[in-house]
Amino acid sequence: MPRSRKSQIALEATPYYHCTSRCVRRAFLCGRDEHSGNDYEHRRGWIEQRMLTLAKVYALDICAYAVMSNHYHIVLHINSEKANAWSDTEVIQRWHTLYAGNFLSHEYLAGKDLYEEQLKVLLELVTEWRERLMSISWFMRALNEDIARQANAEDVCTGR
């Protein structure tokens, strides 16, 4: 039975992980589809660009990757020291580059005075966001969702 990524990751054992993601519906990710004659090679750039963009935001270093016709491989290093060195403000700014954040995080970055209770809630969020910014699951989700949206728009279909 498959196990979730979270249950397979043990930073005390190793910070390096090999991940892979495969297309569904026998869809082509990159290259030339011999059956339809369509060329999807341009999607390789989408994947590479998204990986590099996410690596700038997350505390995950890309050690190696390979993009195949219907799947890709990526070797990631979880850099927990880097994530723990970020200030709360930096965590919020990084989170906002990919996600909307919330009212409190926007008010905090705008320099507005927050009540003690609001700061407490915000600090809990920052702790959660810091964990997510060094999570392979969140990284893979951000990578796959973006690529799927672009490919679905191009293929005029829906789904993963």
Side-chain angles (χ1 to χ4, degrees):
M1 175 182 285
R3 293 179 8 197
S4 67
R5 274 190 205 98
K6 188 175 182 177
S7 68
Q8 296 177 35
I9 294 175
L11 280 178
E12 57 280 352
T14 182
Y16 294 91
Y17 291 90
H18 171 233
C19 302
T20 186
S21 186
R22 185 170 302 278
C23 291
V24 297
R25 297 184 313 267
R26 296 183 181 209
F28 254 70
L29 182 59
C30 296
R32 188 167 191 74
D33 182 355
E34 298 298 326
H35 297 290
S36 69
N38 293 334
D39 185 7
Y40 299 109
E41 191 58 35
H42 62 283
R43 293 180 180 177
R44 189 177 309 274
W46 296 353
I47 297 161
E48 291 173 351
Q49 186 60 46
R50 185 65 175 171
M51 282 181 188
L52 298 175
T53 298
L54 292 174
K56 291 177 186 173
V57 177
Y58 281 79
L60 296 170
D61 304 318
I62 298 174
C63 300
Y65 66 89
V67 181
M68 316 306 262
S69 64
N70 69 343
H71 69 286
Y72 66 85
H73 298 265
I74 185 169
V75 178
L76 296 169
H77 171 254
I78 301 172
N79 194 338
S80 56
E81 289 179 16
K82 179 180 178 180
N84 291 327
W86 292 334
S87 67
D88 292 346
T89 300
E90 189 172 1
V91 169
I92 295 169
Q93 289 169 335
R94 286 174 177 273
W95 188 259
H96 283 190
T97 62
L98 299 172
Y99 307 102
N102 67 13
F103 174 77
L104 290 178
S105 64
H106 287 281
E107 291 289 297
Y108 179 83
L109 289 182
K112 303 283 175 74
D113 288 331
L114 300 178
Y115 296 109
E116 187 175 325
E117 296 80 16
Q118 291 174 317
L119 280 173
K120 183 179 175 186
V121 169
L122 181 62
L123 290 178
E124 288 173 7
L125 275 173
V126 167
T127 301
E128 181 179 312
W129 292 346
R130 186 184 312 271
E131 289 294 319
R132 288 179 179 178
L133 287 172
M134 61 179 175
S135 165
I136 290 176
S137 293
W138 276 82
F139 180 92
M140 295 295 285
R141 174 185 166 202
L143 175 59
N144 290 337
E145 184 178 312
D146 184 70
I147 301 306
R149 286 182 193 277
Q150 290 181 71
N152 285 348
E154 186 176 84
D155 296 344
V156 191
C157 68
T158 61
R160 297 188 69 215

